[in-house]
Amino acid sequence: MNRARFNFWMVVGNGAIVTFGSAFFAVETVLAWLVLQLTGSSACVGLLLSVNSIGWLWPQVFVGSYVEHRERKMPVYRVTAVIRASCLVIMALMLALWDGYNPWLLYGLLIALFAVYSSGGGICVVPFMDIVGKAIPRHQTPVLFAYRQLFGGILGCVAGGMVVVALSDQGGTYHLSEYAALIAVGAVFNIMAYTMFCVVKEPIEPVSRERVSVREFLSRGPVLFRADQDYRRFYFFRCCWALTTMSQVLYLPYAKEVFNAPSRMTGWFTAAITLVGGLSAAVWGRVSKNYSEVVLMRWIAVVMLLSPLTALGMTLLERLSGGTAFMAAHYVWVYVLMYGTASAATNGYSIAGSVYMLALAPPDRRPTYIAFMNTIGVPLMLAPVAAGSIVHYLTYPVMFGISVLAGLGALACACALRSRLSDPQHPRAAPALKDTTTAAQ
């Protein structure tokens, strides 16, 4: 097997197995349900989701400054793999040994450990994307990300079924040992996935030997943001996307509050998220390859809009005479639709966003493009906390309605995006980027 083929399948295997392992402690369902049982607060669930999202973003500008001048980025990835694996093992042990202590203390420790775990993920994003950009031919990247999610979705569905079995006897109580076992199993598979990426053979490309300070690295960002219209439009798309997805944090609290949903439902929801997301990746990868990643973003904006729109319809129907009884009997299928469409769109966004960022960035400035985009996205990750905190003042229908309006905005932004690969007027190494570097230094 030649090096390019070996790298391709190692990266695919890494994505598939990490999706499988992470499904055992899925943040949106399994851990969110545990937090809801510990605290009874949707705001605390929102904080968990925001900590997870922010952790993936905030370190990247510092990491970009650290790795951009280095020929090899793999050592940084390997360090983060150890950090993330250690956090999962500690979380599993803590839940297994916890015995009757304050649930709020346990919640605080879980949040702290998950903050470190997700921050480790944020540190590894820049080296991961740079290595993928070097190791995988550009025409294969849509297929690469699609395969990662396709196989991961199929495996994740199996994990969701195992979650159903593990949590099926909880009834109205919760048993920390069962959550500990789920995290421990997830940790084993995640370690396998990290190892697969660590053996990828990293190519060497020319880099600037001079390391810039974090301050200088940061100063490139605003200039780049002003100079590159496509980069700027993509950020506005991400803003609307964040507001569209923020109401997902309210799905589980609403199910528990209105329909008294049992904990095993998190397994079914997890299975729907991973299976539908994985299967849709096969479609999204073909759309991105045959048309463009910009066309894909327009499609996924429509699909994502269906999730809060369904939630809004559910809340309005539940308020009609006889609506509560009807929804109580059929809410599981509605939730599968809500989670399924959101998962399909999110997986499409992962493919389209990754391919688009690699298309925007010239090879020698790839860390700058990726790190700054993700760093300025940090405030957007507070949207779930805001949704969980203000829902009691604005009600569920109003929150879902806000997400619907944001979804329409995301669709409008997607229609304004242009493909940098297909448009000859906008090559990857745009002249403005040279000015950007000069101005920043």
Side-chain angles (χ1 to χ4, degrees):
M1 183 181 293
N2 61 40
R3 184 170 72 171
R5 188 174 178 82
F6 175 82
N7 286 343
F8 181 91
W9 288 111
M10 287 299 101
V11 177
V12 168
N14 160 263
I17 296 177
V18 83
T19 300
F20 178 53
S22 299
F24 286 98
F25 55 91
V27 183
E28 304 91 340
T29 53
V30 179
L31 289 184
W33 192 268
L34 173 59
V35 167
L36 197 59
Q37 289 176 312
L38 287 173
T39 67
S41 168
S42 58
C44 290
V45 176
L47 179 60
L48 171 69
L49 269 65
S50 290
V51 164
N52 178 57
S53 300
I54 292 172
W56 280 91
L57 300 182
W58 77 265
Q60 293 187 28
V61 68
F62 303 101
V63 179
S65 170
Y66 179 74
V67 304
E68 187 169 72
H69 70 290
R70 299 176 182 273
E71 290 184 338
R72 296 187 182 275
K73 278 75 172 182
M74 185 63 79
V76 176
Y77 180 90
R78 289 171 178 160
V79 170
T80 63
V82 173
I83 293 173
R84 301 183 74 205
S86 300
C87 287
L88 292 176
V89 171
I90 293 172
M91 277 191 282
L93 290 173
M94 183 175 67
L95 289 174
L97 300 176
W98 197 271
D99 185 19
Y101 294 103
N102 189 331
W104 284 95
L105 175 60
L106 177 58
Y107 168 71
L109 293 173
L110 283 173
I111 287 289
L113 282 168
F114 213 81
V116 177
Y117 169 79
S118 59
S119 296
I123 294 171
C124 80
V125 166
V126 175
F128 173 87
M129 291 294 290
D130 192 77
I131 292 168
V132 168
K134 295 186 295 183
I136 308 299
R138 186 164 300 277
H139 69 277
Q140 290 186 332
T141 52
V143 177
L144 173 86
F145 290 113
Y147 278 0
R148 281 167 59 91
Q149 295 177 26
L150 171 62
F151 299 138
I154 296 171
L155 292 173
C157 183
V158 176
M162 297 173 70
V163 171
V164 171
V165 174
L167 302 180
S168 62
D169 63 344
Q170 286 200 353
T173 62
Y174 60 92
H175 308 292
L176 297 180
S177 59
E178 295 169 352
Y179 288 100
L182 290 173
I183 295 176
V185 172
V188 171
F189 286 105
N190 275 25
I191 291 171
M192 291 173 56
Y194 302 152
T195 303
M196 292 187 75
F197 191 81
C198 286
V199 300
V200 167
K201 299 171 183 177
E202 179 182 5
I204 302 301
E205 289 183 349
V207 296
S208 173
R209 290 292 185 178
E210 182 180 357
R211 179 185 176 182
V212 299
S213 66
V214 173
R215 180 178 178 180
E216 292 175 12
F217 191 83
L218 279 170
S219 69
R220 294 175 177 174
V223 181
L224 169 63
F225 193 79
R226 291 193 300 268
D228 194 326
Q229 187 180 48
D230 296 322
Y231 193 79
R232 190 166 60 248
R233 286 175 173 174
F234 183 53
Y235 176 71
F236 294 146
F237 171 78
R238 292 185 60 175
C239 291
C240 292
W241 186 271
L243 294 177
T244 307
T245 61
M246 72 175 179
S247 61
Q248 291 179 39
V249 70
L250 305 176
Y251 291 174
L252 284 180
Y254 188 83
K256 185 176 183 181
E257 178 182 323
V258 177
F259 306 123
N260 196 28
S263 58
R264 65 177 179 274
M265 285 295 104
T266 60
W268 294 118
F269 298 155
T270 300
I273 289 171
T274 54
L275 180 61
V276 174
L279 294 177
S280 66
V283 178
W284 300 144
R286 185 170 295 274
V287 171
S288 181
K289 183 177 181 180
N290 293 344
Y291 298 95
S292 73
E293 68 284 353
V294 169
V295 172
L296 175 54
M297 278 190 261
R298 295 166 187 169
W299 283 36
I300 62 174
V302 173
V303 175
M304 178 57 81
L305 181 61
L306 296 176
S307 185
L309 194 59
T310 302
L312 177 61
M314 176 183 65
T315 57
L316 296 177
L317 180 60
E318 188 265 331
R319 291 168 179 248
L320 298 177
S321 177
T324 301
F326 177 82
M327 289 305 307
H330 302 287
Y331 77 92
V332 173
W333 299 110
V334 176
Y335 266 71
V336 167
L337 175 62
M338 287 157 50
Y339 277 121
T341 52
S343 177
T346 300
N347 278 265
Y349 173 81
S350 177
I351 295 171
S354 299
V355 174
Y356 196 62
M357 283 304 302
L358 291 175
L360 286 176
D364 62 335
R365 286 294 177 262
R366 201 179 286 124
T368 298
Y369 270 70
I370 295 169
F372 186 75
M373 175 62 73
N374 288 328
T375 299
I376 59 178
V378 169
L380 304 178
M381 300 304 105
L382 293 174
V385 176
S389 300
I390 66 179
V391 64
H392 300 297
Y393 302 100
L394 297 182
T395 74
Y396 286 105
V398 172
M399 293 303 302
F400 295 147
I402 292 173
S403 287
V404 168
L405 293 176
L408 294 172
L411 178 59
C413 290
C415 291
L417 292 174
R418 299 174 297 180
S419 175
R420 285 276 277 264
L421 289 179
S422 61
D423 188 348
Q425 298 298 320
H426 297 85
R428 287 173 59 231
L433 298 180
K434 297 179 181 178
D435 297 337
T436 297
T437 303
T438 303
Q441 294 176 341

